[in-house]
Amino acid sequence: MECLKTPFKGIVRDARGRAACYKQDWACGFCSGMRILAPTAYIFFASALPVIAFGEQLSRDTNGSLSTVETLASTAICGIIHSIFGGQPLLILGVAEPTVIMYTYLYNFAKGRSALGSELYLAWAGWVCVWTALLLFLLAIFNACTIITRFTRIAGELFGMLITVLFMQEAIKGLISEFNIPKADNPALEKYQFQWLYTNGLLAIIFAIGLLYTALKSRKARSWRYSTGWFRGFIADYGVPLMVLTWTSLSFAVPKRVPDGVPRRLFCPLPWESASLHHWTVIEDMWKVPPTYIFAAFIPAVMIAGLYFFDHSVASQMAQQKEFNLKKPSAYHYDIFLLGLLTLLCGLLGLPPSNGVLPQSPMHTKSLAVLNKQMIRKRMIQSAKECIKQRATNSEIYGKMQEVFIEMDRTPTFTSTVKELQDLKEAVLKADDGEDGNTKFDPEKYIDAHLPVRVNEQRMSNLLQSCLVGLSVCAIPVIKLIPTSVLWGYFAYMAIDSLPGNQFWERILLLFITPGRRYKVLEGVHASFVESVPFKSIAVFTLFQFVYLLICYGVTWVPIAGILFPLPFFLLISIRQHILPKLFKHDHLHELDAAEYEEIAATPYRSQSLSFKDIRPSDSDDEDSEEDFYDAEILDEMTTSRGELKLRTVSFKEEMLFRVRPEDASRA
């Protein structure tokens, strides 16, 4: 209630905070020179490919009323405006799957009403955007962003899992459609004869699975054993668009006897054709919508406003996680207000609105993050090992590492350095709580997990990548060459790639591990709740999430009421606050629904093998023996697929291994 008494307070505070560093935002971008092009290209491909795929999905679901042209135009316009006037420039905007779902429901509703029909679909959607914008304005004015913390991990992971299921559903539906004749096409065409229709379906399966497999493999390129670090990094960053290009090229290798249209390719009008140009004048048709439906548009607007508020705020939150050590203030309230303006603009132009997207937003921050050069890491590890040889205490070890960091990092103030090294300090000194007070630790493991991250906070990369998305509209003749089956494979890739790092998914897999094999979980890097929460509580919590997921997914299948699918996620706030605390112990619920992704380093079970690192002399000064280790590889290990930074701690609960394997303990 306190927020309602001080309207505009959050917007004014955000605007003042960001205005103070606005000039620096541009200066940092210009001072980066050509180095800014690498993260720009990286995030451009990460943004453009999903938008193209969503455009094809919209084109099929709305019978061509919207297409890739509109999704690219919306992403470019909103991205450019946000990069210049937005509060948090690291936030990436784009047309997302929830927007596609909502616009599909709006189309299905409009085409079944004689007063609207498909002709006034975009005009009515424009009124929905007007109401949505007004609601977003109210949310921003009355400081609603202060309640975003109530959307805990359970809501975020359920929403992410629902989108994953919908991605996979779209991939499967797309592959099945490759064996069928599109409703609007002439079945007498040669390409729709049985043998060619069957050939098209088989080729679709080959291209989709091929894209899925190669994209997943290239995504993990940084962990390959082969080639140089630069090449592995290039494949990891740009492997997915390269695979799309590769499989598109292979689609032209079919024999000449195969008729045109096999395999099928994207269909969308060119930007300069009438089918695309009429969108820009949709505002003229908005006054043709009957007043009854203008007011009825308020109902879906409530759902869309809540969805955008949740999605946009969470994306912004993920882009500025505290582990990124950002120096400039956030602007949640101001950005929601700007999102309202952008939603209004898109509605008046007949475009699907764009909002903050995951995982592109944290990926953008991550691409701008630089762990200070390998030399800092090497010197800190070297100083720690020297202290260990001299039998120094953990406090003395940390003090030496801090001296090295200050000497080489050249941070502005000592206070800033101490604050950034706080996590490392706590991890190192944690061993002092043990019985002997001098518990040894692995310097490399601690330093890799807690060495501070540096982020180049600027607006240039977001502006440039948005301009590139805009230029992609002119490349529609080339984009139309992509086979639709490649996009179905890309949908499957987005679904599978989003699973690692989702603790809901990890707990589902944990349920299928037999009791006699659960010690294997402890031998690998695992989530902290595995050690601190009883298995029964984990199972009950996971089953509750799974049933709730089925309910949310079932709502999406309801013909008209499906537009209310965000409602269960809003109800989950009350369930989390009032019902779950009565079913689970406070500590257990805190671990299972933790605000941060915390994992515990592996505790190998009596491994007698020695790594190459173990048999190498620790005091070797041979430069040629230095590991092929890259900053981006560290960041990949530190982040989940949705861009969430992991908090890695070290388990000192060796006795747990004996609890899960008592028969071995008795032999000792």
Side-chain angles (χ1 to χ4, degrees):
M1 294 299 294
E2 195 67 30
C3 301
L4 299 177
K5 298 178 182 178
T6 54
F8 293 99
K9 179 181 178 181
I11 297 176
V12 173
R13 184 179 65 246
D14 291 346
R16 288 176 178 173
R18 292 306 306 194
C21 52
Y22 187 79
K23 182 178 179 181
Q24 188 182 11
D25 287 343
W26 292 107
C28 291
F30 284 111
C31 291
S32 300
M34 299 297 290
R35 290 177 296 175
I36 203 66
L37 296 181
T40 297
Y42 172 67
I43 204 63
F44 161 67
F45 286 114
S47 298
L49 279 178
V51 170
I52 292 171
F54 295 147
E56 177 64 17
Q57 182 183 354
L58 263 179
S59 178
R60 288 174 174 251
D61 293 343
T62 63
N63 198 25
S65 296
L66 292 168
S67 66
T68 302
V69 174
E70 286 73 41
T71 55
L72 286 173
S74 172
T75 301
I77 293 172
C78 294
I80 291 173
I81 294 175
H82 180 82
S83 64
I84 298 174
F85 302 105
Q88 179 48 263
L90 300 179
L91 180 64
I92 299 297
L93 271 62
V95 175
E97 180 67 10
T99 300
V100 175
I101 297 172
M102 299 302 285
Y103 261 63
T104 300
Y105 284 129
L106 295 179
Y107 176 78
N108 291 332
F109 177 85
K111 75 175 183 179
R113 303 294 182 278
S114 57
L116 294 175
S118 57
E119 296 79 12
L120 290 178
Y121 156 59
L122 290 178
W124 185 61
W127 282 111
V128 174
C129 289
V130 170
W131 286 114
T132 302
L134 291 175
L135 291 171
L136 289 173
F137 291 154
L138 292 175
L139 288 171
I141 290 171
F142 290 102
N143 313 305
C145 288
T146 54
I147 69 169
I148 193 62
T149 54
R150 297 186 183 181
F151 289 97
T152 57
R153 174 176 294 275
I154 185 175
E157 291 190 336
L158 266 174
F159 186 75
M161 186 61 76
L162 177 63
I163 297 302
T164 296
V165 172
L166 294 175
F167 278 158
M168 189 58 70
Q169 173 184 281
E170 189 64 27
I172 295 173
K173 286 170 58 180
L175 281 178
I176 293 175
S177 69
E178 297 288 340
F179 289 90
N180 300 324
I181 301 174
K183 295 179 180 179
D185 287 6
N186 181 8
L189 294 175
E190 182 184 8
K191 63 181 179 180
Y192 294 136
Q193 294 179 7
F194 174 77
Q195 66 272 24
W196 297 124
L197 196 62
Y198 192 70
T199 300
N200 180 77
L202 293 179
L203 286 176
I205 293 176
I206 293 173
F207 291 148
I209 295 178
L211 186 281
L212 172 62
Y213 180 79
T214 53
L216 289 173
K217 284 294 184 181
S218 64
R219 182 74 174 82
K220 304 296 182 183
R222 284 196 177 91
S223 61
W224 291 355
R225 301 177 182 178
Y226 311 106
S227 192
T228 63
W230 177 88
F231 181 77
R232 295 197 308 269
F234 178 80
I235 295 298
D237 290 340
Y238 305 106
V240 177
L242 282 175
M243 292 306 106
V244 172
L245 180 62
T246 300
W247 287 99
T248 299
S249 301
L250 288 174
S251 70
F252 287 97
V254 296
K256 294 182 178 180
R257 290 183 56 189
V258 176
D260 290 340
V262 179
R264 293 178 194 168
R265 304 185 188 277
L266 268 69
F267 175 79
C268 64
L270 297 174
W272 44 84
E273 293 179 349
S274 58
S276 295
L277 294 177
H278 87 278
H279 291 281
W280 305 103
T281 59
V282 74
I283 189 174
E284 298 176 358
D285 296 330
M286 290 178 64
W287 302 109
K288 299 178 183 178
V289 177
T292 303
Y293 290 101
I294 292 178
F295 289 102
F298 180 79
I299 298 175
V302 173
M303 295 294 105
I304 296 177
L307 194 62
Y308 281 3
F309 173 74
F310 169 73
D311 214 13
H312 196 77
S313 298
V314 170
S316 181
Q317 197 175 44
M318 295 288 288
Q320 46 193 331
Q321 301 168 62
K322 68 176 184 178
E323 289 80 12
F324 281 131
N325 295 316
L326 300 185
K327 306 300 181 185
K328 298 173 183 177
S330 60
Y332 292 105
H333 308 279
Y334 173 80
D335 279 342
I336 290 295
F337 186 84
L338 181 61
L339 178 63
L341 291 174
L342 295 176
T343 302
L344 178 62
L345 176 63
C346 288
L348 298 179
L349 295 178
L351 302 175
S354 295
N355 65 285
V357 289
L358 289 171
Q360 289 90 333
S361 296
M363 284 170 62
H364 182 217
T365 308
K366 175 183 164 184
S367 69
L368 296 168
V370 179
L371 289 174
N372 256 8
K373 301 296 182 178
Q374 292 184 43
M375 188 59 70
I376 294 181
R377 175 183 178 273
K378 180 180 178 182
R379 284 282 302 277
M380 289 181 71
I381 292 175
Q382 185 178 358
S383 66
K385 289 183 176 180
E386 289 175 356
C387 291
I388 291 174
K389 288 181 181 179
Q390 298 172 6
R391 300 180 181 276
T393 65
N394 289 350
S395 299
E396 293 171 340
I397 293 173
Y398 169 74
K400 188 65 176 178
M401 289 193 295
Q402 180 179 282
E403 290 178 9
V404 172
F405 186 83
I406 294 174
E407 175 188 350
M408 302 188 66
D409 188 57
R410 301 176 183 177
T411 47
T413 63
F414 176 79
T415 304
S416 173
T417 299
V418 171
K419 183 178 179 180
E420 290 185 322
L421 290 177
Q422 186 63 32
D423 289 340
L424 177 61
K425 180 179 180 180
E426 291 177 359
V428 174
L429 298 184
K430 188 175 181 180
D432 282 338
D433 296 332
E435 294 180 0
D436 57 1
N438 290 301
T439 305
K440 293 184 178 180
F441 70 99
D442 184 350
E444 297 184 13
K445 185 183 297 182
Y446 278 87
I447 291 174
D448 288 346
H450 300 288
L451 192 62
V453 177
R454 293 288 184 269
V455 176
N456 183 9
E457 300 179 60
Q458 41 71 49
R459 296 177 180 269
M460 188 61 67
S461 57
N462 200 347
L463 175 62
L464 291 177
Q465 74 88 19
S466 299
C467 291
L468 289 175
V469 173
L471 291 175
S472 300
V473 176
C474 301
I476 287 294
V478 177
I479 293 175
K480 291 174 66 174
L481 299 177
I482 301 176
T484 53
S485 53
V486 170
L487 290 186
W488 309 142
Y490 184 71
F491 272 108
Y493 161 75
M494 288 192 291
I496 295 175
D497 189 57
S498 66
L499 291 176
N502 188 319
Q503 290 189 356
F504 177 28
W505 172 250
E506 293 173 358
R507 280 187 271 105
I508 290 176
L509 297 181
L510 187 63
L511 297 182
F512 291 93
I513 301 177
T514 59
R517 300 289 290 176
R518 287 179 195 150
Y519 71 90
K520 286 288 186 181
V521 177
L522 299 177
E523 291 184 354
V525 177
H526 52 279
S528 59
F529 63 78
V530 174
E531 292 191 6
S532 58
V533 181
F535 181 79
K536 182 179 179 181
S537 297
I538 295 175
V540 173
F541 189 81
T542 305
L543 290 175
F544 164 76
Q545 275 190 289
F546 184 74
V547 171
Y548 207 87
L549 173 65
L550 292 180
I551 295 173
C552 297
Y553 179 65
V555 172
T556 64
W557 281 85
V558 180
I560 300 300
I563 201 168
L564 302 177
F565 85 92
L567 187 60
F569 294 99
F570 304 145
L571 295 176
L572 193 58
I573 297 177
S574 297
I575 295 174
R576 170 62 179 86
Q577 286 187 321
H578 304 295
I579 298 179
L580 292 185
K582 297 179 181 179
L583 302 177
F584 300 92
K585 292 182 178 180
H586 177 268
D587 293 342
H588 296 167
L589 187 58
H590 178 74
E591 283 287 336
L592 293 170
D593 194 29
E596 297 168 325
Y597 189 105
E598 183 176 356
E599 61 179 17
I600 295 177
T603 309
Y605 177 76
R606 298 291 185 267
S607 176
Q608 299 296 326
S609 62
L610 291 175
S611 66
F612 292 110
K613 188 186 300 184
D614 292 330
I615 62 177
R616 187 189 306 144
S618 59
D619 56 348
S620 173
D621 294 327
D622 186 5
E623 295 295 329
D624 295 334
S625 65
E626 186 172 341
E627 298 174 33
D628 190 8
F629 211 82
Y630 286 81
D631 294 343
E633 187 173 350
I634 300 175
L635 280 175
D636 268 3
E637 294 177 358
M638 289 172 59
T639 54
T640 66
S641 295
R642 66 195 294 255
E644 184 179 11
L645 278 170
K646 303 175 183 177
L647 297 179
R648 180 169 297 182
T649 57
V650 180
S651 173
F652 295 101
K653 300 181 180 179
E654 291 274 351
E655 68 275 8
M656 288 202 66
L657 290 176
F658 297 97
R659 281 207 291 262
V660 297
R661 295 188 64 169
E663 71 281 4
D664 289 347
S666 62
R667 297 181 198 149

Coordinates of all heavy atoms in Angstrom, one line a residue, residues 225-256:
R225 N 38.1 -31.0 -26.9 CA 39.5 -31.2 -26.7 C 40.3 -30.7 -27.8 O 41.5 -30.5 -27.7 CB 39.8 -32.7 -26.5 CG 39.0 -33.3 -25.3 CD 39.3 -34.8 -25.3 NE 38.6 -35.5 -24.2 CZ 38.7 -36.8 -24.0 NH1 39.4 -37.5 -24.7 NH2 38.0 -37.3 -23.0
Y226 N 39.7 -30.5 -29.0 CA 40.4 -30.3 -30.2 C 40.5 -28.8 -30.6 O 39.6 -28.0 -30.2 CB 39.9 -31.1 -31.3 CG 39.6 -32.6 -30.9 CD1 38.4 -33.1 -30.7 CD2 40.7 -33.4 -30.8 CE1 38.2 -34.4 -30.3 CE2 40.5 -34.8 -30.4 CZ 39.3 -35.2 -30.2 OH 39.1 -36.5 -29.8
S227 N 41.5 -28.5 -31.4 CA 41.6 -27.1 -32.0 C 42.0 -26.1 -30.9 O 42.1 -26.4 -29.8 CB 40.3 -26.7 -32.7 OG 40.6 -25.6 -33.5
T228 N 42.1 -24.8 -31.4 CA 42.5 -23.7 -30.6 C 41.3 -23.2 -29.8 O 40.2 -23.3 -30.2 CB 43.2 -22.6 -31.4 OG1 42.2 -22.1 -32.3 CG2 44.4 -23.2 -32.2
G229 N 41.7 -22.4 -28.7 CA 40.6 -21.8 -28.0 C 39.8 -20.8 -28.8 O 38.6 -20.7 -28.6
W230 N 40.5 -20.0 -29.7 CA 39.8 -19.1 -30.5 C 38.7 -19.8 -31.4 O 37.6 -19.3 -31.5 CB 40.7 -18.3 -31.4 CG 40.0 -17.3 -32.3 CD1 39.7 -16.0 -32.0 CD2 39.6 -17.6 -33.6 NE1 39.0 -15.5 -33.1 CE2 39.0 -16.4 -34.1 CE3 39.6 -18.7 -34.5 CZ2 38.4 -16.3 -35.3 CZ3 39.0 -18.6 -35.7 CH2 38.5 -17.4 -36.1
F231 N 39.1 -20.9 -32.0 CA 38.2 -21.6 -32.9 C 37.1 -22.2 -32.2 O 35.9 -22.1 -32.6 CB 39.0 -22.7 -33.7 CG 38.1 -23.4 -34.7 CD1 37.8 -22.9 -35.9 CD2 37.7 -24.7 -34.4 CE1 37.0 -23.6 -36.8 CE2 36.9 -25.4 -35.3 CZ 36.5 -24.8 -36.5
R232 N 37.3 -22.8 -31.0 CA 36.3 -23.4 -30.2 C 35.3 -22.3 -29.8 O 34.1 -22.5 -29.8 CB 36.9 -24.1 -29.0 CG 37.7 -25.3 -29.3 CD 37.9 -26.2 -28.1 NE 38.4 -25.4 -26.9 CZ 39.7 -25.2 -26.6 NH1 40.6 -25.7 -27.4 NH2 40.0 -24.6 -25.5
G233 N 35.8 -21.1 -29.4 CA 34.9 -20.0 -29.0 C 34.1 -19.5 -30.1 O 32.9 -19.2 -29.9
F234 N 34.7 -19.5 -31.3 CA 33.9 -19.0 -32.5 C 32.8 -20.0 -32.8 O 31.6 -19.5 -33.1 CB 34.9 -18.9 -33.7 CG 34.2 -18.5 -35.0 CD1 33.9 -17.2 -35.2 CD2 33.8 -19.5 -35.9 CE1 33.3 -16.8 -36.4 CE2 33.2 -19.1 -37.1 CZ 32.9 -17.8 -37.3
I235 N 33.1 -21.3 -32.7 CA 32.0 -22.3 -33.0 C 30.9 -22.2 -32.0 O 29.7 -22.3 -32.2 CB 32.6 -23.7 -33.1 CG1 33.6 -23.8 -34.3 CG2 31.5 -24.7 -33.2 CD1 32.9 -23.6 -35.6
A236 N 31.3 -22.0 -30.7 CA 30.3 -22.0 -29.6 C 29.4 -20.8 -29.7 O 28.2 -20.8 -29.5 CB 31.0 -22.0 -28.2
D237 N 30.0 -19.6 -30.2 CA 29.2 -18.4 -30.3 C 28.3 -18.3 -31.5 O 27.2 -17.8 -31.5 CB 30.1 -17.2 -30.2 CG 30.8 -17.0 -28.8 OD1 30.2 -17.5 -27.9 OD2 31.8 -16.3 -28.7
Y238 N 28.9 -18.8 -32.6 CA 28.2 -18.7 -33.9 C 27.9 -20.0 -34.6 O 27.5 -20.0 -35.7 CB 29.1 -17.8 -34.8 CG 29.5 -16.5 -34.3 CD1 30.8 -16.3 -33.8 CD2 28.5 -15.5 -34.1 CE1 31.1 -15.0 -33.3 CE2 28.9 -14.3 -33.6 CZ 30.2 -14.0 -33.2 OH 30.5 -12.8 -32.6
G239 N 28.0 -21.1 -33.8 CA 27.7 -22.4 -34.4 C 26.3 -22.6 -34.8 O 26.0 -23.2 -35.9
V240 N 25.3 -22.1 -34.0 CA 23.9 -22.3 -34.4 C 23.6 -21.6 -35.7 O 23.0 -22.3 -36.6 CB 23.0 -21.8 -33.2 CG1 21.5 -22.0 -33.6 CG2 23.3 -22.6 -32.0
P241 N 23.8 -20.3 -35.9 CA 23.6 -19.7 -37.2 C 24.3 -20.4 -38.3 O 23.8 -20.5 -39.5 CB 23.9 -18.2 -37.1 CG 24.8 -18.2 -35.8 CD 24.3 -19.3 -35.0
L242 N 25.6 -20.8 -38.0 CA 26.4 -21.5 -39.1 C 25.7 -22.9 -39.4 O 25.7 -23.2 -40.6 CB 27.8 -21.8 -38.5 CG 28.7 -20.6 -38.6 CD1 30.1 -21.0 -37.9 CD2 29.0 -20.2 -40.0
M243 N 25.1 -23.5 -38.5 CA 24.4 -24.8 -38.8 C 23.1 -24.5 -39.6 O 22.8 -25.3 -40.5 CB 24.0 -25.5 -37.5 CG 25.2 -26.1 -36.7 SD 26.3 -27.1 -37.7 CE 27.7 -26.0 -38.0
V244 N 22.4 -23.4 -39.3 CA 21.3 -23.1 -40.1 C 21.7 -22.8 -41.5 O 21.1 -23.3 -42.5 CB 20.6 -21.8 -39.5 CG1 19.5 -21.3 -40.5 CG2 20.0 -22.1 -38.2
L245 N 22.8 -22.1 -41.7 CA 23.3 -21.8 -43.0 C 23.8 -23.1 -43.7 O 23.5 -23.3 -44.9 CB 24.5 -20.9 -42.9 CG 25.2 -20.5 -44.2 CD1 24.2 -19.7 -45.2 CD2 26.4 -19.6 -44.0
T246 N 24.4 -24.0 -43.0 CA 24.9 -25.3 -43.5 C 23.7 -26.1 -44.0 O 23.8 -26.6 -45.2 CB 25.7 -26.0 -42.5 OG1 26.9 -25.3 -42.1 CG2 26.2 -27.4 -43.1
W247 N 22.7 -26.3 -43.2 CA 21.6 -27.2 -43.6 C 20.7 -26.5 -44.7 O 20.1 -27.2 -45.5 CB 20.8 -27.6 -42.4 CG 21.5 -28.6 -41.5 CD1 22.3 -28.3 -40.4 CD2 21.7 -30.0 -41.8 NE1 22.8 -29.5 -39.9 CE2 22.5 -30.5 -40.7 CE3 21.2 -30.8 -42.7 CZ2 22.8 -31.8 -40.7 CZ3 21.5 -32.2 -42.7 CH2 22.3 -32.7 -41.6
T248 N 20.7 -25.2 -44.7 CA 20.0 -24.5 -45.8 C 20.7 -24.8 -47.1 O 20.1 -25.0 -48.1 CB 19.9 -23.0 -45.5 OG1 19.2 -22.8 -44.3 CG2 19.2 -22.3 -46.7
S249 N 22.1 -24.7 -47.1 CA 22.9 -25.0 -48.3 C 22.7 -26.5 -48.7 O 22.5 -26.7 -49.9 CB 24.4 -24.8 -48.0 OG 24.6 -23.4 -47.6
L250 N 22.6 -27.4 -47.8 CA 22.4 -28.8 -48.1 C 21.1 -29.0 -48.8 O 20.9 -30.0 -49.6 CB 22.6 -29.7 -46.9 CG 24.0 -29.8 -46.4 CD1 24.0 -30.6 -45.0 CD2 24.9 -30.6 -47.4
S251 N 20.1 -28.2 -48.4 CA 18.7 -28.4 -49.0 C 18.7 -28.1 -50.5 O 17.8 -28.5 -51.2 CB 17.8 -27.5 -48.3 OG 18.0 -26.1 -48.6
F252 N 19.7 -27.4 -51.0 CA 19.8 -27.2 -52.4 C 20.5 -28.3 -53.2 O 20.7 -28.2 -54.4 CB 20.4 -25.8 -52.7 CG 19.6 -24.7 -52.3 CD1 19.7 -24.0 -51.1 CD2 18.6 -24.2 -53.2 CE1 18.9 -22.9 -50.8 CE2 17.8 -23.1 -52.9 CZ 17.9 -22.5 -51.7
A253 N 21.0 -29.3 -52.4 CA 21.7 -30.4 -53.0 C 20.8 -31.5 -53.5 O 21.3 -32.6 -53.9 CB 22.8 -30.9 -52.0
V254 N 19.5 -31.3 -53.5 CA 18.6 -32.4 -53.9 C 18.7 -32.5 -55.5 O 19.0 -31.5 -56.1 CB 17.1 -32.0 -53.5 CG1 17.0 -32.0 -52.0 CG2 16.7 -30.7 -54.1
P255 N 18.4 -33.6 -56.0 CA 18.4 -33.8 -57.5 C 17.5 -32.9 -58.2 O 16.5 -32.4 -57.7 CB 18.0 -35.3 -57.7 CG 18.3 -35.9 -56.4 CD 18.0 -34.9 -55.3
K256 N 17.9 -32.6 -59.5 CA 17.1 -31.6 -60.3 C 15.7 -32.1 -60.6 O 14.8 -31.3 -60.9 CB 17.8 -31.3 -61.6 CG 19.2 -30.6 -61.4 CD 19.8 -30.3 -62.7 CE 21.1 -29.5 -62.5 NZ 21.8 -29.2 -63.8

